[in-house]
Amino acid sequence: MAATFTVGTVPGALPLLGHVAAIGRSPLEFMAALPVHGDLVRIRLGPWPAYVVCDPLLTHEVLVNDRVYDKGGPTYDKLRQVGGNGLVTCAHRFHRRQRRLVQPAFHRDRLPGYARAMSHQVDVTTGPWRDGHVIDVVATMNAFSTGVATRTLFAADVDETVLTEIQQATTDMFDGVARRLLLPFAWLDRLPTPGNRRFERARRRLERHTRQLITDYRKAGVDHGDLMSMLLAARDDESGGLTDAEIHDQVLTFFSAGSETVSPALAWAWHLLGQHPEVRAELHAEVDSVLGGRVAEFADVPHLKVTARIITETLRLYPPVWLLTRRTAVDTDLAGQRLPAGTVVVFSPYVLHHHPALHPDPERFDPDRWRNGAGCPAAERAFTPFGAGARKCIGDEYARTEAALALASMAARWRLEPLPQARVRAAPRLALAPRSLRMRLHRR
Ligand code: HEM
């Protein structure tokens, strides 16, 4: 029997602003409350209507039909300002060729090499840690994953100041996009405000550095085993390879996709472990037996089962990519609702992950709910931190490896304690990160 779906409208839209003010005030609460209005719900983003899918089957339908539900809508219109025509942001008509060319860089064979850079970066990050000191966990995890992104992209001997400038410029651009996300009118992006000027400066700096790196790599002609070497070597019969402009967009894509997603996941994991000492004790027992105080390596990952479950449960409660949009390329029907070409459709892993019908007691942090794995049939559609279909995250294994190596290696030597009375809140901007998270280090 075909499933029947309900379609509803969210009340409270303001003239001109629609629901933008309510979303800006408390985005997570707004999103989590949507399923009571239906499986497909109509909201207004500024003056424009948009439909949010709140049911896993409908979400799946949207994600696998990427020809109909193409990349577009508010998040992608803004993200293109960073990722250009790279793999995350490109439209369907450019996608298959790019994915084919980029895929080998994420083949399982490449992971051990990337994992070496990740393990090394754990030492770089924890080197300055001192017993009893308080660290800014969000900034520290961000520096860690940006370091990993830098080293896995560019293993060549690149000037440190250039790499630091690239990291800073990527962060400035990402912040700029996050600020612009809820602005309903594109012309506001072009006003000469300090934020817009900083964004433009960062864009020009990044452009200059990546062009120079591409030229240097091409001239040297050496395979460094890094992402950049793979992008330069990528070939197919139809088009040859990626052009310099395409490589430039992929570099920016990997930089932002690689660093702005894993770091909030790690920060949330430390926060959750601080709130749940019984789970943290389980993690410590596992890393003591598998690692005995050393930094984890790629070969350890299959043995870090508690670590993996903690990461999965963290991605459920706080999916870093919490809200994304599509735009219908043609007239279509969804849940029996006619959607004309150009309609904005929103999907949110956060909504599905907090849906009480899909995850019993959804607000409870319970890594054991994943004892049977994250791939069991019921979980498959209700758990979508990496998306689904042809546009599913290409870096999911890379991200899980990075998160596991970091969490296990850091927990092997350190315990992170929450500060008394600290209130940790989510800052749902482009990625869902804690607004601020400071914790005290204890050497184990
Ligand atoms: C916890 C970490 C991560 C999360 C939660 C995450 C999440 C996602 C999601 C939800 C999508 C689908 C977007 C959509 O359908 O609109 C995606 C796509 C993508 N991600 Fe990730 N990601 C993570 C880490 C990474 C890393 C480390 C990289 C690269 C180094 C990466 C590269 C990409 C790329 C290139 C795409 C586009 C794939 C395509 O369209 O073919 N991601 N990611």
Side-chain angles (χ1 to χ4, degrees):
M1 200 178 72
T4 50
F5 298 105
T6 52
V7 181
T9 299
V10 181
L14 299 173
L16 211 62
L17 282 178
H19 293 100
V20 163
I23 299 173
R25 228 177 5 255
S26 44
L28 296 181
E29 289 74 6
F30 181 87
M31 296 305 292
L34 293 180
V36 298
H37 302 289
D39 300 318
L40 180 68
V41 299
R42 215 171 298 134
I43 60 170
R44 282 230 336 266
L45 296 174
W48 298 284
Y51 288 83
V52 186
V53 278
C54 299
D55 171 89
L57 286 172
L58 290 181
T59 303
H60 196 73
E61 186 174 336
V62 168
L63 293 182
V64 299
N65 290 317
D66 61 324
R67 195 184 294 269
V68 174
Y69 301 96
D70 204 353
K71 294 269 175 137
T75 50
Y76 278 109
D77 293 348
K78 304 279 174 179
L79 274 171
R80 280 200 185 107
Q81 296 174 350
V82 177
N85 207 26
L87 193 56
V88 172
T89 39
C90 70
H92 171 266
R93 67 182 188 282
F94 302 114
H95 178 253
R96 297 303 191 268
R97 171 182 160 269
Q98 281 202 35
R99 179 94 185 197
R100 210 170 41 242
L101 285 164
V102 171
Q103 194 74 55
F106 288 89
H107 191 271
R108 276 201 73 81
D109 294 355
R110 309 297 287 193
L111 270 182
Y114 302 150
R116 273 191 293 282
M118 294 165 184
S119 303
H120 170 74
Q121 199 63 32
V122 170
D123 276 335
V124 173
T125 303
T126 56
W129 288 10
R130 295 290 173 265
D131 196 21
H133 280 194
V134 171
I135 56 165
D136 175 338
V137 179
V138 177
T140 307
M141 294 305 126
N142 195 262
F144 166 74
S145 62
T146 312
V148 169
T150 313
R151 285 292 156 214
T152 48
L153 255 172
F154 308 114
D157 210 5
V158 180
D159 188 343
E160 279 300 325
T161 48
V162 170
L163 293 181
T164 313
E165 274 209 27
I166 293 180
Q167 288 167 3
Q168 186 55 51
T170 311
T171 307
D172 286 351
M173 282 185 73
F174 221 69
D175 284 351
V177 169
R179 259 197 320 275
R180 293 169 174 192
L181 199 58
L182 283 178
L183 296 180
F185 303 107
W187 55 266
L188 290 168
D189 298 352
R190 294 190 292 274
L191 292 179
T193 60
N196 285 345
R197 282 208 296 267
R198 193 162 50 246
F199 182 86
E200 268 314 305
R201 270 199 307 275
R203 202 175 55 75
R204 280 199 299 272
R205 233 180 316 148
L206 261 177
E207 183 115 15
R208 198 177 64 238
H209 285 313
T210 41
R211 291 216 182 292
Q212 188 59 50
L213 281 167
I214 293 168
T215 309
D216 294 349
Y217 261 69
R218 280 208 198 281
K219 219 187 285 168
V222 178
D223 179 0
H224 295 281
D226 54 5
L227 276 164
M228 185 68 159
S229 303
M230 290 297 290
L231 292 175
L232 287 164
R235 286 282 168 274
D236 69 1
D237 292 341
E238 290 156 40
S239 61
L242 295 162
T243 64
D244 281 7
E246 286 173 329
I247 293 178
H248 168 267
D249 288 352
Q250 307 301 356
V251 167
L252 263 58
T253 295
F254 293 144
F255 236 109
S256 35
S259 55
E260 304 283 344
T261 52
V262 180
S263 62
L266 282 170
W268 284 120
W270 291 120
H271 168 62
L272 289 163
L273 291 168
Q275 303 300 311
H276 298 270
E278 70 295 349
V279 180
R280 191 178 58 192
E282 244 190 287
L283 172 67
H284 285 162
E286 172 170 278
V287 297
D288 289 351
S289 100
V290 177
L291 304 177
R294 66 175 167 82
V295 169
E297 294 164 8
F298 185 69
D300 297 313
V301 174
H303 307 291
L304 297 168
K305 294 194 183 339
V306 175
T307 311
R309 287 203 290 273
I310 291 171
I311 291 164
T312 302
E313 180 67 345
T314 304
L315 291 173
R316 183 186 71 79
L317 275 173
Y318 297 108
V321 178
W322 66 286
L323 181 142
L324 287 166
T325 54
R326 296 288 194 264
R327 201 186 287 280
T328 51
V330 292
D331 295 352
T332 190
D333 291 303
L334 184 64
Q337 171 74 40
R338 190 78 185 145
L339 304 182
T343 303
V344 171
V345 177
V346 180
F347 85 92
S348 163
Y350 187 88
V351 170
L352 295 185
H353 294 182
H354 289 256
H355 199 311
L358 304 173
H359 302 277
D361 200 357
E363 301 311 317
R364 189 158 57 92
F365 175 60
D366 177 15
D368 277 351
R369 67 173 91 223
W370 301 105
R371 266 191 186 276
N372 296 328
C376 62
E380 218 157 67
R381 291 195 174 151
F383 180 68
T384 57
F386 295 105
R391 307 303 300 250
K392 183 169 184 243
C393 182
I394 204 171
D396 54 351
E397 282 295 311
Y398 172 116
R400 279 188 179 278
T401 305
E402 179 180 341
L405 291 177
L407 199 66
S409 305
M410 292 174 188
R413 295 173 185 171
W414 299 93
R415 183 165 43 91
L416 274 67
E417 284 289 352
L419 300 184
Q421 269 117 44
R423 187 157 167 254
V424 177
R425 289 166 51 220
R429 304 213 304 168
L430 255 178
L432 177 61
R435 203 175 292 272
S436 141
L437 176 63
R438 293 164 61 74
M439 296 181 83
R440 193 175 299 281
L441 296 168
H442 293 279
R443 190 182 284 282
R444 296 189 53 225

